[in-house]
């Protein structure tokens, strides 16, 4: 490798940058803590069910998703698929982001209008994106995303570790045991929150 080649691809420091989170549930709040404590980032988040003082001290609560998009250097999605969130990232919302911003989606592919994202990445509306999920999986080999050099894609495997797979099986077994013994499943609260969110839409 020549000295010149070493400097052809430069990264971006995370320290001092603003991470925007759309959704601040269990996963979103863990991401917020890691970004704040691990990378010294500023975190701004919007969640319609957010209790504003719950994350005081390390998360700035935004009044809207649009505010998060406009102020963030990196935007990460952490919401379920509902009637309201489907296609929430589209041509209009992408244009609210900074031209040097990056979009991250490890939640659900349906949250993004892929045609709009492709056009935004191709024309430089935003700087780049990283996706672990897609509208159709596996993604087609002739998908237009593959022509982009400012997009990182992984095959919906962000959770696939030995430990995560073991925990997934364990929690499923615990839930079955709860139901068979007349107890409320430990994960019931999360299911109810999702159901309420869908009914609100």
């Amino acid at each position: 490798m020549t000295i010149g080649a070493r400097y052809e691809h430069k990264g971006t420091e995370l320290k001092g940058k603003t991470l925007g989170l759309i959704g601040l549930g269990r996963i979103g709040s863990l991401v917020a803590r890691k970004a704040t404590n691990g990378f010294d980032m500023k975190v701004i988040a919007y969640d319609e069910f957010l209790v504003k003082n719950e994350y005081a001290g390390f998360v700035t609560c935004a009044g809207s998703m649009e505010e998060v998009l406009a102020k963030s250097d990196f935007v990460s999605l952490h919401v379920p698929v509902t009637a309201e969130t489907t296609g929430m990232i589209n041509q209009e919302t992408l244009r609210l982001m900074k031209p040097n911003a990056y979009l991250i989606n490890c939640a659900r592919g349906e949250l993004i209008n892929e045609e709009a994202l492709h056009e935004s990445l191709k024309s430089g509306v935003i700087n780049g994106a990283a996706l672990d999920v897609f509208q159709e999986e596996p993604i087609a080999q002739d998908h237009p995303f593959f022509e982009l050099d400012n997009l990182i894609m992984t095959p919906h495997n962000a959770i696939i570790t030995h430990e995560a797979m073991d925990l997934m099986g364990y929690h499923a077994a615990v839930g079955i045991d709860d139901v068979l013994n007349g107890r409320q499943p430990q994960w019931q609260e999360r299911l109810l929150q999702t159901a309420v969110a869908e009914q609100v839409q």
Side-chain angles (χ1 to χ4, degrees):
M1 180 176 70
T2 65
I3 294 178
R6 179 184 179 189
Y7 295 98
E8 287 181 4
H9 303 285
K10 297 178 182 177
T12 299
E13 291 285 344
L14 297 180
K15 182 178 180 180
K17 298 294 193 306
T18 298
L19 171 65
L21 300 176
I22 299 175
L24 198 63
R26 186 176 61 88
I27 295 175
S29 61
L30 287 172
V31 172
R33 291 184 186 279
K34 291 178 180 180
T36 303
N37 299 327
F39 298 109
D40 199 16
M41 299 183 77
K42 302 172 184 176
V43 178
I44 182 172
Y46 174 71
D47 190 318
E48 61 180 313
F49 300 105
L50 177 65
V51 178
K52 290 193 174 183
N53 61 357
E54 186 175 357
Y55 301 101
F58 72 98
V59 174
T60 299
C61 298
S64 67
M65 178 185 77
E66 289 76 13
E67 182 182 350
V68 172
L69 293 173
K71 292 183 176 180
S72 303
D73 300 301
F74 299 86
V75 174
S76 186
L77 308 180
H78 299 279
V79 295
V81 175
T82 66
E84 185 178 54
T85 61
T86 297
M88 66 191 301
I89 302 300
N90 50 51
Q91 186 177 40
E92 181 181 349
T93 53
L94 283 164
R95 290 190 178 279
L96 297 175
M97 295 176 65
K98 299 178 181 179
N100 63 341
Y102 297 86
L103 176 68
I104 303 167
N105 186 20
C106 295
R108 293 291 181 265
E110 293 87 347
L111 303 177
I112 294 177
N113 180 313
E114 292 183 350
E115 183 178 349
L117 177 59
H118 175 267
E119 181 58 33
S120 295
L121 290 170
K122 188 175 181 179
S123 61
V125 172
I126 63 173
N127 210 19
L131 307 176
D132 186 53
V133 289
F134 307 91
Q135 290 180 4
E136 293 186 9
E137 298 178 2
I139 188 170
Q141 293 184 2
D142 61 349
H143 196 290
F145 277 164
F146 285 105
E147 72 181 29
L148 300 171
D149 60 5
N150 56 347
L151 172 64
I152 296 174
M153 296 185 288
T154 50
H156 202 160
N157 67 342
I159 193 176
I160 299 178
T161 65
H162 295 293
E163 294 83 359
M165 294 297 99
D166 289 344
L167 280 173
M168 190 179 298
Y170 169 76
H171 285 299
V174 169
I176 293 170
D177 183 67
D178 285 337
V179 171
L180 293 178
N181 286 282
R183 297 187 298 267
Q184 181 176 337
Q186 296 178 21
W187 290 83
Q188 185 69 20
E189 182 178 351
R190 287 185 60 213
L191 295 174
L192 287 172
Q193 289 176 345
T194 301
V196 169
E198 292 175 348
Q199 289 174 5
V200 169
Q201 316 310 326

